[in-house]
Amino acid sequence: MVAEGELLWEPSEEVVASARLTRYLEWLGRSGPYEDLWQWSVDRPAEFWTSIWDYFGVLGERGDGPVVSGEMPNARWFAGSTINYAENALRHAEGTAVVFVSEDGARQELSRAELRDEVARVRAGLVRLGVGRGDRVAGYLPNIPQALIAFLATASLGAVWSAGSPDFGVASIVDRFKQIEPKVLIAVDGYRYNGKRYDRSAAVNEIAAALPTLRATVWIPYLAAAEEGRAPQRAEPAEDPAAETPHGEVIGWEGLRAEQEPLEFERVPFEHPLWILYSSGTTGLPKPIVHGHGGVVLEHLKSLAFHQDLGEGEVFFWYTTTGWMMWNYLVGALLVGATPVLYDGAATYPSAAALWRIAGSEQVTYFGVGAPYIMASQKAGIRLEGLERLRGVGSTGSPLPPEGFAWVASQLPGVPVGSFSGGTDVCTGFVGATLLHPIRAGIIPCRSLGAKVESYDPAGRPVAGEVGELVVTRPMPSMPVMFWNDPGGRRYFESYFDVYPGVWRHGDWIKLNKDGSCVIYGRSDSTLNRGGVRMGTSEFYRVVERFDEIADSLVIDTGRLGQEGRLLLYVTLAPGATLTEELRRSLCGALREELSPRHVPDEIHAVPGIPRTLSGKKLEVPVRKILLGTPVEEAANPDAMANPEVLRHFRPATG
């Protein structure tokens, strides 16, 4: 065991002097501790965010409107300004733009000139397909260069990007894409993972069939090309799967990028939609979260430069899929002139050290993963070698326990490990690290610049030194512009502002220390968090409760600090049904196929009833508390329940 708060790393004078945050302070003409800078950034947001625009020389027209007006949830930023994300991402002229590595050993490198050329070609192809400002382009793609190219091409037009990973099932993807009515779908025929091939041709056809707004489907024969030893853009899709696609025309990636046109950028209003990400609560369809061009540009410039200390010449890696917000954060490295490394494959194939080996072979300077990978590396006894260029390690997705901090410190002396916590909702971190802060085991050193993070008790009072709800009490420019198809903003309001009026409640437990450091203790709501991918329980129930044998169900993720936890499924059986091994296999198979392999339950139990409130809502949070050791009588108010007698059938989880 490692004591929380044990000092593991301190920045030297040389590290502090060379930090990009120090240069920014000098440019501002400010000095003093980080907490003073943070306080200024949240007390004077107009001055702070204007300084970010000016310091980085953001391309765009500032306009003459106010920097920020209104309060949450209706705050508005940089009125009258115009900007384009892709123009800012592609402004750097020389050097390597992006590196791609796959688990089977394939590698591709694009220079900045080559990336601009590919984006121009795909942009021209999208125009031929009728894509323009405000139209949606959907990608069913792994973490490959084509995903990045298609996103930048879409953004350059002022169109709106949205992506899902091909390990997500058809139902899960359709629930997302159908809401946004895409005009074009770009998809792979399959992918490889953990040494196995997964053909997704039939899935693409099912997805396309469910999207009547499609004018075209673009096939990338990624799986076929890899097996034939050629680049995907040089192959056309097979006739059979293409012929089955029901809506619009069907072309291959090579057809999309066939013509060269000048690369142009449509400058759009600051809050014009850039991409749509998805996050789910406990009811309804996945929430389509819309972020704007300007908010993302400013937030990622600030966060990547000052909290990850990235800039030109740096190589940035984060293990992610296109379905997680960390992909969007990873490719943001282009904004600061750094080189993102895209990886498609399993984290532990062909060995548990696979990702660390990529860090070595690609001379990565900042290496980011989910906290479970660090813990798995420790348990596997991995010895880290050949990482001389590494200057920082990042961890997110779930809290990193003190032992994880200490293991990195022992393996990589002199390399700070920064735990970051934020969310899909803002596509960044609320709390994190800088090179000006010491690193202590289990402790997140600071609140991010521009993020007025506080800890609230149930009455909405700020607390320090004790666990409370993570809230944000001042607006940030990367907060959602809106939810797609959310008239009047009702769903947006209910997601963040219905507990504390005018205050963003994020759904995490946080202990905020007096020095501004903090500890995150996991989710305070019942959203599933598997391998850093958040998914709502409603999606889970839609699969399970489709079975005739299942009358009702409840799913609980027992993850907590230092443990990813077990995924437990409780079912109430229909009259005459029994929980046979065949039914267990069928349930697991459906969840694997329609959601993802991450969402196959570790255990399935039959119970006589699912606990519900008097209004009929499932009581997921109280059951989770019981499974984590809270006595039944303390977990829920029986007077507020329709069937309090069923709680006794839930027992603390083991293993």
Side-chain angles (χ1 to χ4, degrees), residues 490-566:
R490 179 185 62 83
R491 201 177 180 197
Y492 179 40
F493 176 86
E494 291 176 350
S495 296
Y496 310 110
F497 300 102
D498 65 345
V499 175
Y500 306 112
V503 171
W504 174 294
R505 173 187 171 272
H506 191 61
D508 278 342
W509 297 122
I510 184 173
K511 181 177 72 175
L512 190 60
N513 301 316
K514 291 183 179 180
D515 64 357
S517 65
C518 66
V519 180
I520 299 290
Y521 291 100
R523 300 298 299 169
S524 63
D525 60 20
S526 56
T527 301
L528 307 179
N529 188 342
R530 309 299 292 170
V533 177
R534 291 177 60 192
M535 180 176 286
T537 54
S538 61
E539 298 180 75
F540 204 98
Y541 299 142
R542 292 180 72 189
V543 177
V544 173
E545 294 173 13
R546 191 178 65 238
F547 283 74
D548 293 336
E549 298 92 337
I550 306 300
D552 205 354
S553 65
L554 190 79
V555 63
I556 303 293
D557 183 348
T558 66
R560 50 184 169 174
L561 182 64
Q563 302 173 16
E564 177 150 278
R566 299 178 69 76

Side-chain angles (χ1 to χ4, degrees), residues 599-652:
H599 296 90
V600 174
D602 296 298
E603 301 172 24
I604 303 177
H605 301 284
V607 291
I610 299 302
R612 290 181 178 270
T613 64
L614 293 173
S615 61
K617 294 181 179 179
K618 297 182 183 185
L619 285 167
E620 295 159 319
V621 172
V623 171
R624 184 177 185 275
K625 290 180 179 178
I626 292 170
L627 296 175
L628 293 178
T630 299
V632 171
E633 61 272 16
E634 297 177 17
N637 177 9
D639 295 334
M641 294 181 61
N643 52 350
E645 70 280 359
V646 302
L647 281 180
R648 63 185 178 86
H649 295 282
F650 298 85
R651 294 286 182 266

Side-chain angles (χ1 to χ4, degrees), residues 369-572:
V369 288
Y373 183 75
I374 292 177
M375 301 310 297
S377 297
Q378 179 189 20
K379 291 178 181 177
I382 293 172
R383 294 181 60 84
L384 301 184
E385 298 174 335
L387 300 173
E388 288 76 18
R389 286 208 66 204
L390 197 60
R391 299 194 303 108
V393 172
S395 171
T396 194
S398 60
L400 181 66
E403 292 74 22
F405 281 81
W407 180 78
V408 174
S410 67
Q411 291 288 313
L412 300 169
V415 177
V417 54
S419 182
F420 293 82
S421 184
T424 300
D425 321 78
V426 288
C427 204
T428 190
F430 291 122
V431 293
T434 75
L435 287 183
L436 309 189
H437 287 88
I439 300 299
R440 301 179 185 276
I443 304 294
I444 298 176
C446 65
R447 291 170 282 190
S448 298
L449 293 175
K452 185 70 180 297
V453 172
E454 297 187 58
S455 177
Y456 271 15
D457 68 13
R461 296 183 295 258
V463 294
E466 61 184 84
V467 177
E469 287 274 2
L470 190 161
V471 298
V472 183
T473 58
R474 295 279 177 86
M476 297 168 59
S478 68
M479 284 176 172
V481 173
M482 60 179 177
F483 287 177
W484 199 263
N485 287 335
D486 182 26
R490 179 185 62 83
R491 201 177 180 197
Y492 179 40
F493 176 86
E494 291 176 350
S495 296
Y496 310 110
F497 300 102
D498 65 345
V499 175
Y500 306 112
V503 171
W504 174 294
R505 173 187 171 272
H506 191 61
D508 278 342
W509 297 122
I510 184 173
K511 181 177 72 175
L512 190 60
N513 301 316
K514 291 183 179 180
D515 64 357
S517 65
C518 66
V519 180
I520 299 290
Y521 291 100
R523 300 298 299 169
S524 63
D525 60 20
S526 56
T527 301
L528 307 179
N529 188 342
R530 309 299 292 170
V533 177
R534 291 177 60 192
M535 180 176 286
T537 54
S538 61
E539 298 180 75
F540 204 98
Y541 299 142
R542 292 180 72 189
V543 177
V544 173
E545 294 173 13
R546 191 178 65 238
F547 283 74
D548 293 336
E549 298 92 337
I550 306 300
D552 205 354
S553 65
L554 190 79
V555 63
I556 303 293
D557 183 348
T558 66
R560 50 184 169 174
L561 182 64
Q563 302 173 16
E564 177 150 278
R566 299 178 69 76
L567 193 64
L568 307 179
L569 173 61
Y570 296 90
V571 295
T572 298

Side-chain angles (χ1 to χ4, degrees), residues 242-279:
E244 295 173 13
T245 306
H247 300 302
E249 63 179 298
V250 178
I251 62 173
W253 181 258
E254 177 64 11
L256 181 69
R257 63 176 292 281
E259 297 182 16
Q260 176 70 68
E261 297 287 346
L263 179 56
E264 299 177 348
F265 303 99
E266 177 82 8
R267 289 186 177 177
V268 292
F270 189 89
E271 295 182 332
H272 182 81
L274 170 64
W275 56 48
I276 300 173
L277 307 180
Y278 302 90
S279 187

Side-chain angles (χ1 to χ4, degrees), residues 85 151 274-279 289-292 295-304 308 320 322 324-332 335 396 421-430 448 476-480 496 504 506 534:
Y85 176 102
F151 156 58
L274 170 64
W275 56 48
I276 300 173
L277 307 180
Y278 302 90
S279 187
I289 298 172
V290 183
H291 293 122
V296 170
V297 168
L298 293 187
E299 175 59 40
H300 285 187
L301 283 169
K302 175 217 73 177
S303 188
L304 289 162
Q308 265 79 43
T320 182
T322 57
W324 187 18
M325 58 133 299
M326 289 309 301
W327 183 85
N328 305 73
Y329 193 74
L330 169 65
V331 301
L335 292 168
T396 194
S421 184
T424 300
D425 321 78
V426 288
C427 204
T428 190
F430 291 122
S448 298
M476 297 168 59
S478 68
M479 284 176 172
Y496 310 110
W504 174 294
H506 191 61
R534 291 177 60 192

